[in-house]
Amino acid sequence: MAVQSEFDPSLAISHKFPDSTYSYTERDAALYALGIGACASDAVDEDELKYVYHEDGQKAIKVLPTFAALLTMESLPNGFDLPGLQYDPRLLLHGQQYIELYKPFPSSCHIQNKVSLAGLHDKGKAAILEIETKSYEKESGDLLCMNRSTVYLRGAGGFSKSSKPFSYSNYPSNQTSAVKIPESKPFSVLEDRTHPSQALLYRLSGDYNPLHSDPQFAKVAGFSKPILHGLCTLGFAVRAIIKSICKGDSDRIKSITGRFLLHVYPGETLVTEMWLEGSRVIYRTLVKERKRTVLSGSVNLRGLNSSL
């Protein structure tokens, strides 16, 4: 895509996104849990059965913290519709995700999303957008979580009005997913194999991008076959932290950062390495078969079990 001389970043910054709503049920929460591998290796896993089944007819099913990312699915029904911004959706890359969690999710809920532009950066051949979504429980008005999604729009850059590339951020500098992986031995390591149909299962939670299901579309995008959703990989990693560090207590998760580094093919084995630094877990996830790091980030905890 050519340089967008008609795109005025100042108009983008002042743009007001409309509020949106999203509703989910315990069935959606359970389907999501299965989509990120819960109970895949042990159908009665004592740490994870609570995410997919409750003995009283699902009335109090637990909801995994990374379910927060799904609440943004309907927040931008028209895509990234900033005034004058042109981009090819096929060239969009999900670069990073940041999530803050303020209270446990109810098993079903009506959500109201408030969306704003948190960042806009001109990288010449690409534009980087950072979209912030605050999700409120509609009935009570309580803030449940905040997502900040960073996307790379290849071909949409070159809009700076001066020699200095345009860059705008509207959030604290410490809320980034750049982490330094320690050289020491990990505190814990968890290996978890994805299923060959993992992406087909995960897409039922609302992300129907054909990159994850259509072989021809995937080839056009440069992949030999459909790839796993980045947010699915993030779900596997955070689930590993809950199981290994939090002893199954998902309510201890306070915030999550993840930087997507490389694609994952469904059926590959994910190895998540974890380092404990106070109340923060630094992690990275590797594909065992290719020996490549695909995800890295950190998770802040509300407290640790005394057994640690």
Side-chain angles (χ1 to χ4, degrees):
M1 188 178 294
V3 172
Q4 300 185 63
S5 59
E6 73 278 6
F7 177 57
D8 185 346
S10 63
L11 293 179
I13 292 174
S14 61
H15 178 70
K16 301 298 183 184
F17 292 96
D19 290 354
S20 63
T21 58
Y22 178 87
S23 296
Y24 69 86
T25 66
E26 64 234 359
R27 181 182 185 277
D28 299 313
L31 182 62
Y32 170 79
L34 294 172
I36 62 167
C39 292
S41 58
D42 182 359
V44 293
D45 186 301
E46 62 180 10
D47 289 332
E48 298 186 335
L49 186 59
K50 60 192 173 188
Y51 303 122
V52 297
Y53 169 76
H54 189 270
E55 59 191 14
D56 294 326
Q58 305 288 83
K59 295 183 184 301
I61 192 172
K62 287 291 292 181
V63 181
L64 282 155
T66 47
F67 186 81
L70 295 189
L71 305 187
T72 68
M73 293 299 296
E74 302 298 326
S75 63
L76 294 171
N78 300 317
F80 303 106
D81 56 344
L82 294 174
L85 179 64
Q86 300 176 28
Y87 68 94
D88 186 339
R90 295 173 299 179
L91 301 179
L92 182 153
L93 295 174
H94 192 170
Q96 300 180 52
Q97 190 78 9
Y98 175 76
I99 302 171
E100 284 188 355
L101 300 145
Y102 305 113
K103 59 181 296 186
F105 295 113
S107 59
S108 60
C109 191
H110 297 292
I111 301 291
Q112 183 170 25
N113 287 318
K114 295 184 179 296
V115 183
S116 61
L117 182 68
L120 175 62
H121 313 278
D122 184 1
K123 295 298 182 181
K125 293 183 178 181
I128 296 179
L129 290 185
E130 296 172 289
I131 302 295
E132 184 174 286
T133 304
K134 291 184 176 180
S135 299
Y136 298 82
E137 190 174 16
K138 196 171 183 180
E139 185 174 342
S140 67
D142 291 345
L143 179 59
L144 292 176
C145 65
M146 183 271 284
N147 278 268
R148 188 179 306 115
S149 304
T150 301
V151 295
Y152 294 77
L153 304 178
R154 291 176 288 175
F159 53 80
S160 300
K161 306 301 182 183
S162 65
S163 58
K164 183 178 180 181
F166 182 87
S167 184
Y168 162 80
S169 293
N170 185 30
Y171 57 87
S173 59
N174 64 343
Q175 293 181 354
T176 64
S177 60
V179 297
K180 182 178 180 181
I181 301 299
E183 297 181 1
S184 59
K185 182 180 178 181
F187 178 84
S188 184
V189 178
L190 185 70
E191 184 174 306
D192 209 351
R193 186 172 184 179
T194 65
H195 195 273
S197 62
Q198 200 75 54
L200 297 177
L201 178 58
Y202 182 85
R203 73 188 291 273
L204 299 180
S205 288
D207 189 339
Y208 298 109
N209 186 335
L211 177 62
H212 309 293
S213 55
D214 189 317
Q216 294 305 316
F217 192 97
K219 288 180 180 178
V220 170
F223 301 100
S224 61
K225 58 183 178 179
I227 63 175
L228 194 63
H229 306 68
L231 287 175
C232 182
T233 304
L234 181 65
F236 268 82
V238 174
R239 197 168 54 74
I241 292 169
I242 294 171
K243 192 170 187 63
S244 301
I245 306 293
C246 302
K247 302 301 183 184
D249 186 359
S250 59
D251 290 344
R252 294 190 179 276
I253 303 295
K254 182 179 180 180
S255 66
I256 301 163
T257 65
R259 175 171 290 179
F260 306 110
L261 304 173
L262 192 66
H263 60 279
V264 175
Y265 289 116
E268 290 186 314
T269 304
L270 299 177
V271 179
T272 299
E273 301 175 333
M274 297 157 263
W275 291 263
L276 190 58
E277 295 186 348
S279 60
R280 184 170 81 143
V281 179
I282 294 176
Y283 72 89
R284 70 177 170 193
T285 301
L286 307 92
V287 166
K288 183 177 181 179
E289 291 80 0
R290 290 182 282 138
K291 298 181 174 60
R292 300 290 299 276
T293 301
V294 296
L295 173 71
S296 67
S298 63
V299 171
N300 288 319
L301 306 175
R302 289 191 170 84
L304 297 177
N305 290 317
S306 58
S307 59
L308 292 178

